[in-house]
Amino acid sequence: MSSGTKPNWNDAVKSALALTWADKMPDSLDSVVLSLGCTLTVDEKSLATSSLTSIEQGARTYRARVEAGEKTALVAVGAGYFDGAARGEFIEGILMKKYILEHPEVAGEISAKDVYVEPHSYNTPDNALDIGISLVGKNIGTFYLTSDPLHSKRALKTFKGVFALLGITAPIIAVPGNKPRYGNSNKWFLRSALTWRAWNIVGMTVLPGQLKAIEKALQEEGVLTPDQK
């Protein structure tokens, strides 16, 4: 797995196809809330505020969907930026799940059976790829996407692009969290709002090329036939 904005997408597709995190998720849900984890703290012992804003907004969104009478689920997405393979564990997703189960003051009690952990993905396009491949074939009414507010626009565009490649047509709605305190992340591009904003601008710029590369990898790995778009 390479780093930067040009990962090996064939490897990413193969990894996504091997994931089993969604196997116990119901085949039909009114909605699924996806909370994107951005990073850990500098000492890597807890969640940085960017991850907290995402999972807390995810919990609040989950609660709103429950109160609307929907059958829903909350997914803590991702292991951190290119960290998962090196660590050999999905530390951030587990910490996000643990945090929300232990903090009912955020959005009330949430059953552990309704909180899932996507363990592998390491950047935003891979978040979308791992989630999408795992949920292809399930009947999901609407996806709600929560993340750091500076990341929200890019995340939404990325998920729409990747899900379109996979043939997932359910609407995706971005629900940004509160603005976090920047600077306590172990990732340099989240050390300040300025660098994080710049990083997301770069991400939007390279996204069209990433989507083309992902489409090619999906075809080469047999997920799509060459005539599928």
PDB file of all heavy atoms in Angstrom, residues 95-122:
ATOM      1  N   LEU A  95     -11.813   2.777  18.937  1.00  0.00           N
ATOM      2  CA  LEU A  95     -11.888   3.870  19.901  1.00  0.00           C
ATOM      3  C   LEU A  95     -13.121   4.735  19.664  1.00  0.00           C
ATOM      4  O   LEU A  95     -13.742   5.221  20.612  1.00  0.00           O
ATOM      5  CB  LEU A  95     -10.626   4.732  19.831  1.00  0.00           C
ATOM      6  CG  LEU A  95      -9.354   4.121  20.421  1.00  0.00           C
ATOM      7  CD1 LEU A  95      -8.163   5.039  20.175  1.00  0.00           C
ATOM      8  CD2 LEU A  95      -9.513   3.861  21.906  1.00  0.00           C
ATOM      9  N   MET A  96     -13.495   4.933  18.403  1.00  0.00           N
ATOM     10  CA  MET A  96     -14.699   5.704  18.101  1.00  0.00           C
ATOM     11  C   MET A  96     -15.934   4.993  18.634  1.00  0.00           C
ATOM     12  O   MET A  96     -16.807   5.613  19.242  1.00  0.00           O
ATOM     13  CB  MET A  96     -14.812   5.935  16.594  1.00  0.00           C
ATOM     14  CG  MET A  96     -13.788   6.923  16.049  1.00  0.00           C
ATOM     15  SD  MET A  96     -13.781   6.988  14.240  1.00  0.00           S
ATOM     16  CE  MET A  96     -15.277   7.924  13.925  1.00  0.00           C
ATOM     17  N   LYS A  97     -16.011   3.689  18.410  1.00  0.00           N
ATOM     18  CA  LYS A  97     -17.158   2.925  18.915  1.00  0.00           C
ATOM     19  C   LYS A  97     -17.186   2.951  20.440  1.00  0.00           C
ATOM     20  O   LYS A  97     -18.230   3.207  21.051  1.00  0.00           O
ATOM     21  CB  LYS A  97     -17.095   1.481  18.418  1.00  0.00           C
ATOM     22  CG  LYS A  97     -18.223   0.606  18.954  1.00  0.00           C
ATOM     23  CD  LYS A  97     -18.191  -0.795  18.360  1.00  0.00           C
ATOM     24  CE  LYS A  97     -19.342  -1.639  18.905  1.00  0.00           C
ATOM     25  NZ  LYS A  97     -19.397  -2.976  18.283  1.00  0.00           N
ATOM     26  N   LYS A  98     -16.047   2.715  21.045  1.00  0.00           N
ATOM     27  CA  LYS A  98     -15.956   2.703  22.505  1.00  0.00           C
ATOM     28  C   LYS A  98     -16.376   4.055  23.079  1.00  0.00           C
ATOM     29  O   LYS A  98     -17.121   4.130  24.064  1.00  0.00           O
ATOM     30  CB  LYS A  98     -14.531   2.362  22.924  1.00  0.00           C
ATOM     31  CG  LYS A  98     -14.294   2.276  24.425  1.00  0.00           C
ATOM     32  CD  LYS A  98     -12.862   1.774  24.675  1.00  0.00           C
ATOM     33  CE  LYS A  98     -12.578   1.607  26.164  1.00  0.00           C
ATOM     34  NZ  LYS A  98     -12.458   2.886  26.872  1.00  0.00           N
ATOM     35  N   TYR A  99     -15.919   5.113  22.444  1.00  0.00           N
ATOM     36  CA  TYR A  99     -16.231   6.457  22.937  1.00  0.00           C
ATOM     37  C   TYR A  99     -17.731   6.692  22.949  1.00  0.00           C
ATOM     38  O   TYR A  99     -18.294   7.169  23.951  1.00  0.00           O
ATOM     39  CB  TYR A  99     -15.535   7.504  22.062  1.00  0.00           C
ATOM     40  CG  TYR A  99     -15.867   8.925  22.460  1.00  0.00           C
ATOM     41  CD1 TYR A  99     -15.151   9.568  23.449  1.00  0.00           C
ATOM     42  CD2 TYR A  99     -16.931   9.605  21.856  1.00  0.00           C
ATOM     43  CE1 TYR A  99     -15.463  10.872  23.825  1.00  0.00           C
ATOM     44  CE2 TYR A  99     -17.251  10.893  22.237  1.00  0.00           C
ATOM     45  CZ  TYR A  99     -16.513  11.520  23.216  1.00  0.00           C
ATOM     46  OH  TYR A  99     -16.846  12.796  23.593  1.00  0.00           O
ATOM     47  N   ILE A 100     -18.400   6.379  21.855  1.00  0.00           N
ATOM     48  CA  ILE A 100     -19.816   6.714  21.776  1.00  0.00           C
ATOM     49  C   ILE A 100     -20.658   5.832  22.685  1.00  0.00           C
ATOM     50  O   ILE A 100     -21.662   6.275  23.250  1.00  0.00           O
ATOM     51  CB  ILE A 100     -20.317   6.679  20.318  1.00  0.00           C
ATOM     52  CG1 ILE A 100     -21.455   7.681  20.132  1.00  0.00           C
ATOM     53  CG2 ILE A 100     -20.736   5.301  19.864  1.00  0.00           C
ATOM     54  CD1 ILE A 100     -21.084   9.103  20.484  1.00  0.00           C
ATOM     55  N   LEU A 101     -20.253   4.592  22.905  1.00  0.00           N
ATOM     56  CA  LEU A 101     -20.987   3.722  23.815  1.00  0.00           C
ATOM     57  C   LEU A 101     -20.805   4.154  25.265  1.00  0.00           C
ATOM     58  O   LEU A 101     -21.675   3.911  26.111  1.00  0.00           O
ATOM     59  CB  LEU A 101     -20.545   2.271  23.632  1.00  0.00           C
ATOM     60  CG  LEU A 101     -20.902   1.619  22.287  1.00  0.00           C
ATOM     61  CD1 LEU A 101     -20.337   0.204  22.221  1.00  0.00           C
ATOM     62  CD2 LEU A 101     -22.409   1.615  22.050  1.00  0.00           C
ATOM     63  N   GLU A 102     -19.680   4.814  25.545  1.00  0.00           N
ATOM     64  CA  GLU A 102     -19.394   5.227  26.919  1.00  0.00           C
ATOM     65  C   GLU A 102     -19.818   6.663  27.212  1.00  0.00           C
ATOM     66  O   GLU A 102     -19.655   7.132  28.336  1.00  0.00           O
ATOM     67  CB  GLU A 102     -17.891   5.070  27.200  1.00  0.00           C
ATOM     68  CG  GLU A 102     -17.444   3.612  27.232  1.00  0.00           C
ATOM     69  CD  GLU A 102     -15.966   3.471  27.523  1.00  0.00           C
ATOM     70  OE1 GLU A 102     -15.253   4.506  27.524  1.00  0.00           O
ATOM     71  OE2 GLU A 102     -15.525   2.328  27.732  1.00  0.00           O
ATOM     72  N   HIS A 103     -20.381   7.363  26.223  1.00  0.00           N
ATOM     73  CA  HIS A 103     -20.768   8.759  26.420  1.00  0.00           C
ATOM     74  C   HIS A 103     -22.221   8.967  25.996  1.00  0.00           C
ATOM     75  O   HIS A 103     -22.501   9.659  24.992  1.00  0.00           O
ATOM     76  CB  HIS A 103     -19.837   9.702  25.645  1.00  0.00           C
ATOM     77  CG  HIS A 103     -18.452   9.771  26.204  1.00  0.00           C
ATOM     78  ND1 HIS A 103     -17.504   8.794  25.969  1.00  0.00           N
ATOM     79  CD2 HIS A 103     -17.852  10.685  27.022  1.00  0.00           C
ATOM     80  CE1 HIS A 103     -16.385   9.108  26.597  1.00  0.00           C
ATOM     81  NE2 HIS A 103     -16.577  10.247  27.243  1.00  0.00           N
ATOM     82  N   PRO A 104     -23.160   8.413  26.742  1.00  0.00           N
ATOM     83  CA  PRO A 104     -24.576   8.567  26.380  1.00  0.00           C
ATOM     84  C   PRO A 104     -25.057  10.009  26.450  1.00  0.00           C
ATOM     85  O   PRO A 104     -26.102  10.337  25.893  1.00  0.00           O
ATOM     86  CB  PRO A 104     -25.300   7.689  27.402  1.00  0.00           C
ATOM     87  CG  PRO A 104     -24.364   7.598  28.566  1.00  0.00           C
ATOM     88  CD  PRO A 104     -22.998   7.595  27.957  1.00  0.00           C
ATOM     89  N   GLU A 105     -24.292  10.877  27.120  1.00  0.00           N
ATOM     90  CA  GLU A 105     -24.703  12.282  27.183  1.00  0.00           C
ATOM     91  C   GLU A 105     -24.659  12.949  25.810  1.00  0.00           C
ATOM     92  O   GLU A 105     -25.277  13.998  25.593  1.00  0.00           O
ATOM     93  CB  GLU A 105     -23.814  13.055  28.163  1.00  0.00           C
ATOM     94  CG  GLU A 105     -22.394  13.315  27.713  1.00  0.00           C
ATOM     95  CD  GLU A 105     -21.434  12.155  27.978  1.00  0.00           C
ATOM     96  OE1 GLU A 105     -21.906  11.077  28.387  1.00  0.00           O
ATOM     97  OE2 GLU A 105     -20.227  12.343  27.752  1.00  0.00           O
ATOM     98  N   VAL A 106     -23.948  12.351  24.857  1.00  0.00           N
ATOM     99  CA  VAL A 106     -23.863  12.928  23.516  1.00  0.00           C
ATOM    100  C   VAL A 106     -25.198  12.787  22.783  1.00  0.00           C
ATOM    101  O   VAL A 106     -25.697  13.743  22.189  1.00  0.00           O
ATOM    102  CB  VAL A 106     -22.739  12.253  22.695  1.00  0.00           C
ATOM    103  CG1 VAL A 106     -22.754  12.762  21.250  1.00  0.00           C
ATOM    104  CG2 VAL A 106     -21.386  12.506  23.336  1.00  0.00           C
ATOM    105  N   ALA A 107     -25.783  11.598  22.818  1.00  0.00           N
ATOM    106  CA  ALA A 107     -27.020  11.366  22.048  1.00  0.00           C
ATOM    107  C   ALA A 107     -27.890  10.280  22.662  1.00  0.00           C
ATOM    108  O   ALA A 107     -28.670   9.653  21.956  1.00  0.00           O
ATOM    109  CB  ALA A 107     -26.669  11.005  20.606  1.00  0.00           C
ATOM    110  N   GLY A 108     -27.744  10.038  23.939  1.00  0.00           N
ATOM    111  CA  GLY A 108     -28.528   8.989  24.577  1.00  0.00           C
ATOM    112  C   GLY A 108     -27.878   7.624  24.437  1.00  0.00           C
ATOM    113  O   GLY A 108     -26.825   7.474  23.807  1.00  0.00           O
ATOM    114  N   GLU A 109     -28.499   6.641  25.018  1.00  0.00           N
ATOM    115  CA  GLU A 109     -27.968   5.279  24.961  1.00  0.00           C
ATOM    116  C   GLU A 109     -28.075   4.737  23.535  1.00  0.00           C
ATOM    117  O   GLU A 109     -29.095   4.889  22.867  1.00  0.00           O
ATOM    118  CB  GLU A 109     -28.745   4.369  25.907  1.00  0.00           C
ATOM    119  CG  GLU A 109     -28.638   4.748  27.373  1.00  0.00           C
ATOM    120  CD  GLU A 109     -27.311   4.334  27.990  1.00  0.00           C
ATOM    121  OE1 GLU A 109     -26.543   3.595  27.324  1.00  0.00           O
ATOM    122  OE2 GLU A 109     -27.044   4.757  29.133  1.00  0.00           O
ATOM    123  N   ILE A 110     -27.011   4.106  23.081  1.00  0.00           N
ATOM    124  CA  ILE A 110     -27.000   3.457  21.776  1.00  0.00           C
ATOM    125  C   ILE A 110     -26.614   2.002  21.982  1.00  0.00           C
ATOM    126  O   ILE A 110     -25.623   1.702  22.655  1.00  0.00           O
ATOM    127  CB  ILE A 110     -26.009   4.141  20.812  1.00  0.00           C
ATOM    128  CG1 ILE A 110     -26.442   5.589  20.549  1.00  0.00           C
ATOM    129  CG2 ILE A 110     -25.912   3.376  19.498  1.00  0.00           C
ATOM    130  CD1 ILE A 110     -25.502   6.359  19.651  1.00  0.00           C
ATOM    131  N   SER A 111     -27.382   1.095  21.410  1.00  0.00           N
ATOM    132  CA  SER A 111     -27.087  -0.326  21.539  1.00  0.00           C
ATOM    133  C   SER A 111     -25.828  -0.680  20.765  1.00  0.00           C
ATOM    134  O   SER A 111     -25.645  -0.247  19.614  1.00  0.00           O
ATOM    135  CB  SER A 111     -28.263  -1.157  21.022  1.00  0.00           C
ATOM    136  OG  SER A 111     -27.924  -2.530  20.983  1.00  0.00           O
ATOM    137  N   ALA A 112     -24.969  -1.484  21.374  1.00  0.00           N
ATOM    138  CA  ALA A 112     -23.730  -1.896  20.707  1.00  0.00           C
ATOM    139  C   ALA A 112     -23.999  -2.615  19.403  1.00  0.00           C
ATOM    140  O   ALA A 112     -23.194  -2.553  18.466  1.00  0.00           O
ATOM    141  CB  ALA A 112     -22.910  -2.785  21.645  1.00  0.00           C
ATOM    142  N   LYS A 113     -25.147  -3.290  19.308  1.00  0.00           N
ATOM    143  CA  LYS A 113     -25.455  -4.040  18.083  1.00  0.00           C
ATOM    144  C   LYS A 113     -25.732  -3.123  16.903  1.00  0.00           C
ATOM    145  O   LYS A 113     -25.692  -3.573  15.745  1.00  0.00           O
ATOM    146  CB  LYS A 113     -26.645  -4.968  18.300  1.00  0.00           C
ATOM    147  CG  LYS A 113     -27.983  -4.265  18.463  1.00  0.00           C
ATOM    148  CD  LYS A 113     -29.121  -5.245  18.605  1.00  0.00           C
ATOM    149  CE  LYS A 113     -30.467  -4.538  18.771  1.00  0.00           C
ATOM    150  NZ  LYS A 113     -30.801  -3.664  17.624  1.00  0.00           N
ATOM    151  N   ASP A 114     -26.004  -1.859  17.171  1.00  0.00           N
ATOM    152  CA  ASP A 114     -26.270  -0.904  16.094  1.00  0.00           C
ATOM    153  C   ASP A 114     -25.041  -0.096  15.708  1.00  0.00           C
ATOM    154  O   ASP A 114     -25.123   0.786  14.843  1.00  0.00           O
ATOM    155  CB  ASP A 114     -27.390   0.061  16.503  1.00  0.00           C
ATOM    156  CG  ASP A 114     -28.751  -0.611  16.555  1.00  0.00           C
ATOM    157  OD1 ASP A 114     -28.911  -1.683  15.926  1.00  0.00           O
ATOM    158  OD2 ASP A 114     -29.643  -0.070  17.231  1.00  0.00           O
ATOM    159  N   VAL A 115     -23.906  -0.356  16.342  1.00  0.00           N
ATOM    160  CA  VAL A 115     -22.675   0.372  16.035  1.00  0.00           C
ATOM    161  C   VAL A 115     -21.678  -0.598  15.413  1.00  0.00           C
ATOM    162  O   VAL A 115     -21.322  -1.612  16.003  1.00  0.00           O
ATOM    163  CB  VAL A 115     -22.062   1.012  17.297  1.00  0.00           C
ATOM    164  CG1 VAL A 115     -20.887   1.904  16.908  1.00  0.00           C
ATOM    165  CG2 VAL A 115     -23.097   1.816  18.065  1.00  0.00           C
ATOM    166  N   TYR A 116     -21.228  -0.266  14.222  1.00  0.00           N
ATOM    167  CA  TYR A 116     -20.301  -1.118  13.471  1.00  0.00           C
ATOM    168  C   TYR A 116     -18.973  -0.401  13.300  1.00  0.00           C
ATOM    169  O   TYR A 116     -18.892   0.826  13.371  1.00  0.00           O
ATOM    170  CB  TYR A 116     -20.891  -1.460  12.102  1.00  0.00           C
ATOM    171  CG  TYR A 116     -22.160  -2.287  12.185  1.00  0.00           C
ATOM    172  CD1 TYR A 116     -23.391  -1.668  12.413  1.00  0.00           C
ATOM    173  CD2 TYR A 116     -22.131  -3.669  12.055  1.00  0.00           C
ATOM    174  CE1 TYR A 116     -24.565  -2.411  12.499  1.00  0.00           C
ATOM    175  CE2 TYR A 116     -23.301  -4.423  12.137  1.00  0.00           C
ATOM    176  CZ  TYR A 116     -24.504  -3.786  12.357  1.00  0.00           C
ATOM    177  OH  TYR A 116     -25.656  -4.535  12.445  1.00  0.00           O
ATOM    178  N   VAL A 117     -17.924  -1.178  13.045  1.00  0.00           N
ATOM    179  CA  VAL A 117     -16.595  -0.620  12.818  1.00  0.00           C
ATOM    180  C   VAL A 117     -16.073  -1.117  11.476  1.00  0.00           C
ATOM    181  O   VAL A 117     -15.899  -2.321  11.274  1.00  0.00           O
ATOM    182  CB  VAL A 117     -15.609  -1.023  13.937  1.00  0.00           C
ATOM    183  CG1 VAL A 117     -14.207  -0.505  13.614  1.00  0.00           C
ATOM    184  CG2 VAL A 117     -16.076  -0.487  15.275  1.00  0.00           C
ATOM    185  N   GLU A 118     -15.878  -0.191  10.545  1.00  0.00           N
ATOM    186  CA  GLU A 118     -15.192  -0.525   9.289  1.00  0.00           C
ATOM    187  C   GLU A 118     -13.705  -0.412   9.578  1.00  0.00           C
ATOM    188  O   GLU A 118     -13.220   0.669   9.892  1.00  0.00           O
ATOM    189  CB  GLU A 118     -15.636   0.435   8.187  1.00  0.00           C
ATOM    190  CG  GLU A 118     -14.992   0.157   6.830  1.00  0.00           C
ATOM    191  CD  GLU A 118     -13.560   0.645   6.766  1.00  0.00           C
ATOM    192  OE1 GLU A 118     -13.332   1.846   6.969  1.00  0.00           O
ATOM    193  OE2 GLU A 118     -12.665  -0.192   6.541  1.00  0.00           O
ATOM    194  N   PRO A 119     -12.937  -1.493   9.472  1.00  0.00           N
ATOM    195  CA  PRO A 119     -11.623  -1.533  10.103  1.00  0.00           C
ATOM    196  C   PRO A 119     -10.428  -1.113   9.267  1.00  0.00           C
ATOM    197  O   PRO A 119      -9.349  -0.941   9.808  1.00  0.00           O
ATOM    198  CB  PRO A 119     -11.485  -3.021  10.448  1.00  0.00           C
ATOM    199  CG  PRO A 119     -12.209  -3.715   9.340  1.00  0.00           C
ATOM    200  CD  PRO A 119     -13.379  -2.824   9.022  1.00  0.00           C
ATOM    201  N   HIS A 120     -10.585  -0.942   7.968  1.00  0.00           N
ATOM    202  CA  HIS A 120      -9.387  -0.947   7.131  1.00  0.00           C
ATOM    203  C   HIS A 120      -9.029   0.389   6.498  1.00  0.00           C
ATOM    204  O   HIS A 120      -7.856   0.734   6.383  1.00  0.00           O
ATOM    205  CB  HIS A 120      -9.548  -1.988   6.014  1.00  0.00           C
ATOM    206  CG  HIS A 120      -8.490  -1.921   4.960  1.00  0.00           C
ATOM    207  ND1 HIS A 120      -8.663  -1.253   3.768  1.00  0.00           N
ATOM    208  CD2 HIS A 120      -7.233  -2.406   4.930  1.00  0.00           C
ATOM    209  CE1 HIS A 120      -7.553  -1.342   3.049  1.00  0.00           C
ATOM    210  NE2 HIS A 120      -6.670  -2.031   3.724  1.00  0.00           N
ATOM    211  N   SER A 121     -10.013   1.161   6.068  1.00  0.00           N
ATOM    212  CA  SER A 121      -9.744   2.240   5.127  1.00  0.00           C
ATOM    213  C   SER A 121      -8.874   3.339   5.712  1.00  0.00           C
ATOM    214  O   SER A 121      -8.894   3.604   6.903  1.00  0.00           O
ATOM    215  CB  SER A 121     -11.050   2.834   4.600  1.00  0.00           C
ATOM    216  OG  SER A 121     -11.843   3.361   5.636  1.00  0.00           O
ATOM    217  N   TYR A 122      -8.109   4.011   4.831  1.00  0.00           N
ATOM    218  CA  TYR A 122      -7.033   4.873   5.293  1.00  0.00           C
ATOM    219  C   TYR A 122      -7.047   6.268   4.710  1.00  0.00           C
ATOM    220  O   TYR A 122      -6.283   7.121   5.131  1.00  0.00           O
ATOM    221  CB  TYR A 122      -5.674   4.217   4.998  1.00  0.00           C
ATOM    222  CG  TYR A 122      -5.541   3.741   3.572  1.00  0.00           C
ATOM    223  CD1 TYR A 122      -5.101   4.583   2.577  1.00  0.00           C
ATOM    224  CD2 TYR A 122      -5.893   2.444   3.225  1.00  0.00           C
ATOM    225  CE1 TYR A 122      -5.004   4.170   1.277  1.00  0.00           C
ATOM    226  CE2 TYR A 122      -5.793   2.009   1.924  1.00  0.00           C
ATOM    227  CZ  TYR A 122      -5.353   2.865   0.950  1.00  0.00           C
ATOM    228  OH  TYR A 122      -5.273   2.435  -0.338  1.00  0.00           O
TER     229      TYR A 122
END
